[in-house]
Amino acid sequence: MYKIAVVGDYDSIYGFATLGLSICPVRDREEIRDRLRTLAEEEYGIIYITEAAAAAAGDELEKYREKTLPAIIQIPGVSGNTGAGVANVKKTVEQAVGSDILFGGVS
């Protein structure tokens, strides 16, 4: 069975521990990148990552974009929603179905 982890600053992710998810507080870019690699190598099927941590991870996330597992999903942190997570999901769906799901246009 796959596990689920949440990566980001402690204040944004500590509540997920009550749901039984593995929390992975990180402070800087290198720690974020190292943690993502470690979680991907272990049996984590879903990794939630705060939008701020995803922005700091940079090209490390690109390594997993085309892979089935782990699914890496951006979530807002305590600093608020930047819209990056929604934009990323929209882009992925457009690639999968060949159409803009919000406006019905064909890509």
Side-chain angles (χ1 to χ4, degrees):
M1 178 180 275
Y2 292 105
K3 301 178 273 187
I4 302 173
V6 186
V7 177
D9 62 282
Y10 181 79
D11 290 339
S12 295
I13 68 170
Y14 73 91
F16 288 97
T18 61
L19 300 173
L21 306 182
S22 300
I23 62 168
C24 304
V26 290
R27 289 175 295 249
D28 59 46
R29 180 183 173 126
E30 278 308 307
E31 193 174 10
I32 294 166
R33 295 164 66 95
D34 291 342
R35 182 61 65 159
L36 283 173
R37 277 188 229 111
T38 301
L39 293 171
E41 290 170 5
E42 296 176 6
E43 292 198 4
Y44 282 87
I46 300 173
I47 300 171
Y48 292 104
I49 185 169
T50 62
E51 292 172 339
D59 60 343
E60 186 67 27
L61 287 179
E62 291 301 317
K63 294 179 182 178
Y64 307 105
R65 190 166 312 280
E66 298 296 322
K67 295 184 179 185
T68 304
L69 293 175
I72 300 178
I73 303 165
Q74 293 184 39
I75 59 174
V78 293
S79 59
N81 185 355
T82 66
V86 172
N88 202 14
V89 169
K90 182 178 178 280
K91 179 181 173 186
T92 302
V93 171
E94 283 178 7
Q95 290 173 339
V97 299
S99 179
D100 185 332
I101 60 172
L102 296 179
F103 298 108
V106 176
S107 299

